[in-house]
Amino acid sequence: MLGYLTAFSRRAIDTAWSFDWILFGAALAISLAGLITMNSFTGEDRFFEKQIVWIGVSLGACFLVSMIDLRFLRRTGVVVALYVLTVASLALLFVVGSTFQGAESWFSIGGFSFQPVEPAKLVLVILLAKYFARRHIEIANIRHILLSGFYAFVLFALVFLQPDFGSALILGAIWLGMVLVSGISKKHLIALILIAVVTVIGMWSFALQDYQKSRITSFLDPFADIQGTGYNAYQSMVAVGSGELMGKGVGYGTQSKLEFLPEFQTDFIFAAFSEEWGFVGVIVLFSLFGVLFWRILSASLQGASNFEMLFMLGIAVYFMAHVIIHTGMNIGLLPVTGTTIPFMSYGGTHLLTEFVALGMIMAMRRYRREVQMEGVELEV
C-alpha cells in the first residue's frame, strides 16, 4: 500500500512540474467569467450554484487525466473501440434519449443528464489524429480524405438527425480543420468546397426542417420577423451593442436580467457577458482565449509523435470552432444554431469534456519531456 502511495506521489509531483499552469489559468479565468455572469441572473434555476459544482468536478478530472500515460491511445484497437462506443451511444439516443428544446440529445437518469455529443467531439479528434498520424505522407491521396470524411459523417448524421444542427456543424468543422492542418492539396481543397456547396444545397432542399430554415432566413434579414424567428438574434445583438465601451456592470444587464435574452446562460452567454462588461471586457475575454490557443499550439509543436501533435491541433480546432460559431451567432454574423462557448457556457457535459481535453494535453506534455530526457541520456 505504501508503495502505491509513493508511486502516486511521485507521479503527482512530476505532473505538477510539467503542468501548463498558464493554459490552465486561462481556461479557469474564462470559466470564472461565465460564473460571474451567471450569478447576476435571476429566476428559479440556480445556474451559479450548479456550475460551481461542475467546475469543481471538471478541474478534478483535468488533474486526474493529466497523470495518465496516454500513449495507449496510439493503438488502433483502442481508437476503434472508442469510436464504436460513441456511435452506439449516439444511436441509442433515438431509443431512450430525452428531448430538450426539440432535440433528442440527452440521456437522463434521475436528476442527472448527459449529452453524448460532447465527448463525441473529443473522440473524433482522437480518431482523426490517429488516422492522419499514420498517413500524413499519403494525405495527397483523395482516398484518405474521403475515408476520414466518412468516419466524421457517421457522427455528423447521427447528431444532425436528433436534430442538433449546432453540434453537427462543430463535428464538420473539426474534420475540415484537421484535414487542412494535415496537408491537403489545393485541388482537393477546391473539390471539398464544391462538395460543401452541393451538400448545403441538398440539406436546404431535403434535410433542414422548417424552423432551421427560418433561423437561416432570419440571419439573412434579422429585422424581418423580430417577434418571431428573428427574436433571439435581435435580442442578442441588442445586448452586445448596449454594453458599449465599459458595460452596464455586473448584475445590471437588462436583456438577460429581465429575460428578454433567451438561453442567456448557454447559447447567448457571450451576449450577456458583453452587455455587463462592454467592449473592454470582450477584449479581455478574447485575450484569454488567445492565450488558450497559443499554449495549445505551442504544446503541439513539441508533441512526442505525429499523433500527439495532430491531437493537440485538433483540440485547438475544436475550441476555435466553438468560439467562432458562438460569437458569430451572438453578434448576428452567423445563424442561431444553439452552440456553447468553451469553459464559459453553463452545462456539465461540455465543461467536463473540455477540461478532460486540457488534461490530455497536460499528460502528453509530461511524457514528451520524458522522451527528450531519454534522448539526452542515449546521446551521452
Side-chain angles (χ1 to χ4, degrees), residues 330-360:
N330 277 236
I331 62 178
L333 294 180
L334 292 174
V336 176
T337 56
T339 305
T340 58
I341 190 168
F343 305 103
M344 190 174 181
S345 292
Y346 173 78
T349 310
H350 83 86
L351 190 67
L352 181 61
T353 302
E354 289 153 6
F355 272 106
V356 164
L358 289 190
M360 295 175 71

Tab-separated table of all heavy atoms in Angstrom, residues 330-360:
chain	number	residue	atom	x	y	z
A	330	ASN	N	-23.914	35.251	-31.719
A	330	ASN	CA	-24.334	36.255	-30.753
A	330	ASN	C	-24.297	37.672	-31.301
A	330	ASN	O	-25.019	38.551	-30.800
A	330	ASN	CB	-23.469	36.180	-29.493
A	330	ASN	CG	-23.922	35.125	-28.506
A	330	ASN	OD1	-24.184	35.402	-27.338
A	330	ASN	ND2	-24.027	33.884	-28.949
A	331	ILE	N	-23.474	37.924	-32.302
A	331	ILE	CA	-23.383	39.283	-32.847
A	331	ILE	C	-24.048	39.395	-34.218
A	331	ILE	O	-23.901	40.409	-34.895
A	331	ILE	CB	-21.918	39.759	-32.931
A	331	ILE	CG1	-21.106	38.873	-33.866
A	331	ILE	CG2	-21.286	39.786	-31.543
A	331	ILE	CD1	-19.653	39.323	-34.035
A	332	GLY	N	-24.776	38.350	-34.629
A	332	GLY	CA	-25.549	38.420	-35.860
A	332	GLY	C	-24.793	38.139	-37.132
A	332	GLY	O	-25.301	38.393	-38.224
A	333	LEU	N	-23.566	37.593	-37.033
A	333	LEU	CA	-22.798	37.280	-38.223
A	333	LEU	C	-23.045	35.864	-38.724
A	333	LEU	O	-22.697	35.532	-39.859
A	333	LEU	CB	-21.295	37.472	-37.958
A	333	LEU	CG	-20.833	38.909	-37.696
A	333	LEU	CD1	-19.335	38.937	-37.450
A	333	LEU	CD2	-21.201	39.817	-38.867
A	334	LEU	N	-23.621	35.006	-37.855
A	334	LEU	CA	-23.924	33.630	-38.215
A	334	LEU	C	-25.330	33.287	-37.735
A	334	LEU	O	-25.833	33.897	-36.782
A	334	LEU	CB	-22.907	32.660	-37.581
A	334	LEU	CG	-21.460	32.722	-38.107
A	334	LEU	CD1	-20.555	31.825	-37.281
A	334	LEU	CD2	-21.393	32.333	-39.575
A	335	PRO	N	-25.974	32.298	-38.349
A	335	PRO	CA	-27.316	31.902	-37.902
A	335	PRO	C	-27.295	31.339	-36.490
A	335	PRO	O	-26.273	30.812	-36.028
A	335	PRO	CB	-27.716	30.810	-38.916
A	335	PRO	CG	-26.808	30.998	-40.078
A	335	PRO	CD	-25.540	31.558	-39.552
A	336	VAL	N	-28.403	31.445	-35.791
A	336	VAL	CA	-28.531	30.898	-34.440
A	336	VAL	C	-28.594	29.381	-34.534
A	336	VAL	O	-29.506	28.821	-35.146
A	336	VAL	CB	-29.783	31.444	-33.743
A	336	VAL	CG1	-29.964	30.787	-32.386
A	336	VAL	CG2	-29.699	32.956	-33.600
A	337	THR	N	-27.596	28.701	-33.951
A	337	THR	CA	-27.532	27.240	-34.035
A	337	THR	C	-27.510	26.571	-32.660
A	337	THR	O	-27.438	25.353	-32.577
A	337	THR	CB	-26.277	26.800	-34.803
A	337	THR	OG1	-25.109	27.365	-34.177
A	337	THR	CG2	-26.343	27.261	-36.246
A	338	GLY	N	-27.548	27.328	-31.586
A	338	GLY	CA	-27.547	26.719	-30.264
A	338	GLY	C	-26.216	26.102	-29.907
A	338	GLY	O	-26.132	24.912	-29.599
A	339	THR	N	-25.135	26.892	-29.946
A	339	THR	CA	-23.790	26.397	-29.685
A	339	THR	C	-23.199	27.095	-28.463
A	339	THR	O	-23.315	28.308	-28.313
A	339	THR	CB	-22.876	26.655	-30.902
A	339	THR	OG1	-23.474	26.086	-32.071
A	339	THR	CG2	-21.515	26.022	-30.698
A	340	THR	N	-22.555	26.325	-27.597
A	340	THR	CA	-21.940	26.887	-26.395
A	340	THR	C	-20.576	27.480	-26.732
A	340	THR	O	-20.016	27.237	-27.805
A	340	THR	CB	-21.766	25.810	-25.319
A	340	THR	OG1	-20.958	24.738	-25.847
A	340	THR	CG2	-23.112	25.256	-24.878
A	341	ILE	N	-20.028	28.244	-25.775
A	341	ILE	CA	-18.666	28.751	-25.901
A	341	ILE	C	-17.822	28.032	-24.847
A	341	ILE	O	-18.267	27.852	-23.709
A	341	ILE	CB	-18.623	30.285	-25.716
A	341	ILE	CG1	-17.252	30.839	-26.099
A	341	ILE	CG2	-19.001	30.709	-24.311
A	341	ILE	CD1	-17.213	32.356	-26.222
A	342	PRO	N	-16.625	27.546	-25.194
A	342	PRO	CA	-15.844	26.708	-24.290
A	342	PRO	C	-15.576	27.344	-22.937
A	342	PRO	O	-15.258	28.530	-22.844
A	342	PRO	CB	-14.535	26.489	-25.058
A	342	PRO	CG	-14.924	26.621	-26.492
A	342	PRO	CD	-15.992	27.678	-26.521
A	343	PHE	N	-15.730	26.531	-21.885
A	343	PHE	CA	-15.412	26.855	-20.497
A	343	PHE	C	-16.316	27.917	-19.881
A	343	PHE	O	-16.282	28.127	-18.686
A	343	PHE	CB	-13.948	27.318	-20.357
A	343	PHE	CG	-12.952	26.349	-20.899
A	343	PHE	CD1	-12.333	26.559	-22.122
A	343	PHE	CD2	-12.637	25.208	-20.193
A	343	PHE	CE1	-11.423	25.651	-22.630
A	343	PHE	CE2	-11.724	24.287	-20.691
A	343	PHE	CZ	-11.117	24.516	-21.918
A	344	MET	N	-17.134	28.571	-20.665
A	344	MET	CA	-17.888	29.722	-20.184
A	344	MET	C	-19.378	29.449	-20.064
A	344	MET	O	-20.015	29.868	-19.099
A	344	MET	CB	-17.646	30.917	-21.107
A	344	MET	CG	-18.171	32.241	-20.583
A	344	MET	SD	-17.676	33.594	-21.662
A	344	MET	CE	-18.398	34.977	-20.795
A	345	SER	N	-19.956	28.753	-21.040
A	345	SER	CA	-21.389	28.478	-21.027
A	345	SER	C	-21.751	27.515	-19.902
A	345	SER	O	-20.941	26.681	-19.484
A	345	SER	CB	-21.834	27.891	-22.369
A	345	SER	OG	-21.740	28.831	-23.397
A	346	TYR	N	-22.982	27.620	-19.454
A	346	TYR	CA	-23.492	26.712	-18.427
A	346	TYR	C	-23.642	25.305	-18.996
A	346	TYR	O	-24.018	25.127	-20.155
A	346	TYR	CB	-24.854	27.199	-17.921
A	346	TYR	CG	-25.540	26.236	-16.986
A	346	TYR	CD1	-25.147	26.145	-15.647
A	346	TYR	CD2	-26.556	25.405	-17.440
A	346	TYR	CE1	-25.767	25.255	-14.792
A	346	TYR	CE2	-27.184	24.517	-16.588
A	346	TYR	CZ	-26.784	24.446	-15.261
A	346	TYR	OH	-27.399	23.556	-14.415
A	347	GLY	N	-23.369	24.309	-18.172
A	347	GLY	CA	-23.547	22.922	-18.597
A	347	GLY	C	-22.409	22.053	-18.120
A	347	GLY	O	-21.239	22.470	-18.136
A	348	GLY	N	-22.738	20.846	-17.689
A	348	GLY	CA	-21.736	19.956	-17.131
A	348	GLY	C	-21.006	19.120	-18.160
A	348	GLY	O	-19.779	18.976	-18.099
A	349	THR	N	-21.735	18.561	-19.135
A	349	THR	CA	-21.107	17.631	-20.071
A	349	THR	C	-20.037	18.311	-20.912
A	349	THR	O	-18.924	17.800	-21.061
A	349	THR	CB	-22.163	17.007	-21.004
A	349	THR	OG1	-23.258	16.507	-20.236
A	349	THR	CG2	-21.562	15.868	-21.793
A	350	HIS	N	-20.358	19.473	-21.465
A	350	HIS	CA	-19.362	20.143	-22.319
A	350	HIS	C	-18.190	20.648	-21.497
A	350	HIS	O	-17.030	20.575	-21.932
A	350	HIS	CB	-20.016	21.277	-23.122
A	350	HIS	CG	-20.165	22.572	-22.394
A	350	HIS	ND1	-19.165	23.507	-22.348
A	350	HIS	CD2	-21.195	23.090	-21.676
A	350	HIS	CE1	-19.568	24.560	-21.642
A	350	HIS	NE2	-20.796	24.326	-21.225
A	351	LEU	N	-18.452	21.132	-20.278
A	351	LEU	CA	-17.374	21.643	-19.427
A	351	LEU	C	-16.428	20.515	-19.017
A	351	LEU	O	-15.201	20.667	-19.055
A	351	LEU	CB	-17.967	22.313	-18.188
A	351	LEU	CG	-16.996	23.099	-17.301
A	351	LEU	CD1	-16.471	24.320	-18.043
A	351	LEU	CD2	-17.689	23.544	-16.011
A	352	LEU	N	-16.998	19.373	-18.641
A	352	LEU	CA	-16.186	18.221	-18.263
A	352	LEU	C	-15.339	17.746	-19.438
A	352	LEU	O	-14.146	17.466	-19.287
A	352	LEU	CB	-17.100	17.100	-17.773
A	352	LEU	CG	-16.426	15.803	-17.310
A	352	LEU	CD1	-15.499	16.071	-16.136
A	352	LEU	CD2	-17.478	14.755	-16.934
A	353	THR	N	-15.929	17.685	-20.624
A	353	THR	CA	-15.201	17.253	-21.819
A	353	THR	C	-14.054	18.202	-22.135
A	353	THR	O	-12.947	17.774	-22.482
A	353	THR	CB	-16.158	17.179	-23.017
A	353	THR	OG1	-17.231	16.285	-22.726
A	353	THR	CG2	-15.425	16.693	-24.261
A	354	GLU	N	-14.290	19.494	-22.016
A	354	GLU	CA	-13.261	20.491	-22.336
A	354	GLU	C	-12.087	20.421	-21.368
A	354	GLU	O	-10.929	20.490	-21.786
A	354	GLU	CB	-13.895	21.887	-22.331
A	354	GLU	CG	-14.832	22.117	-23.509
A	354	GLU	CD	-15.932	23.121	-23.250
A	354	GLU	OE1	-15.934	23.753	-22.166
A	354	GLU	OE2	-16.806	23.284	-24.121
A	355	PHE	N	-12.354	20.255	-20.087
A	355	PHE	CA	-11.253	20.158	-19.119
A	355	PHE	C	-10.541	18.813	-19.222
A	355	PHE	O	-9.332	18.732	-18.959
A	355	PHE	CB	-11.771	20.402	-17.698
A	355	PHE	CG	-11.769	21.852	-17.309
A	355	PHE	CD1	-12.944	22.566	-17.234
A	355	PHE	CD2	-10.578	22.508	-17.030
A	355	PHE	CE1	-12.945	23.918	-16.878
A	355	PHE	CE2	-10.563	23.849	-16.678
A	355	PHE	CZ	-11.748	24.560	-16.601
A	356	VAL	N	-11.259	17.756	-19.599
A	356	VAL	CA	-10.598	16.475	-19.850
A	356	VAL	C	-9.641	16.620	-21.033
A	356	VAL	O	-8.523	16.086	-21.019
A	356	VAL	CB	-11.644	15.366	-20.118
A	356	VAL	CG1	-10.984	14.141	-20.747
A	356	VAL	CG2	-12.335	14.967	-18.822
A	357	ALA	N	-10.061	17.353	-22.070
A	357	ALA	CA	-9.193	17.607	-23.221
A	357	ALA	C	-7.921	18.336	-22.785
A	357	ALA	O	-6.808	18.005	-23.238
A	357	ALA	CB	-9.941	18.418	-24.277
A	358	LEU	N	-8.070	19.318	-21.896
A	358	LEU	CA	-6.887	20.018	-21.373
A	358	LEU	C	-6.010	19.063	-20.574
A	358	LEU	O	-4.773	19.110	-20.665
A	358	LEU	CB	-7.308	21.194	-20.480
A	358	LEU	CG	-7.925	22.414	-21.159
A	358	LEU	CD1	-8.051	23.555	-20.150
A	358	LEU	CD2	-7.110	22.873	-22.352
A	359	GLY	N	-6.633	18.191	-19.770
A	359	GLY	CA	-5.869	17.207	-19.008
A	359	GLY	C	-5.077	16.288	-19.914
A	359	GLY	O	-3.932	15.912	-19.604
A	360	MET	N	-5.648	15.920	-21.057
A	360	MET	CA	-4.944	15.078	-22.011
A	360	MET	C	-3.737	15.800	-22.599
A	360	MET	O	-2.674	15.205	-22.804
A	360	MET	CB	-5.911	14.634	-23.118
A	360	MET	CG	-7.027	13.736	-22.621
A	360	MET	SD	-8.251	13.326	-23.901
A	360	MET	CE	-7.290	12.206	-24.936
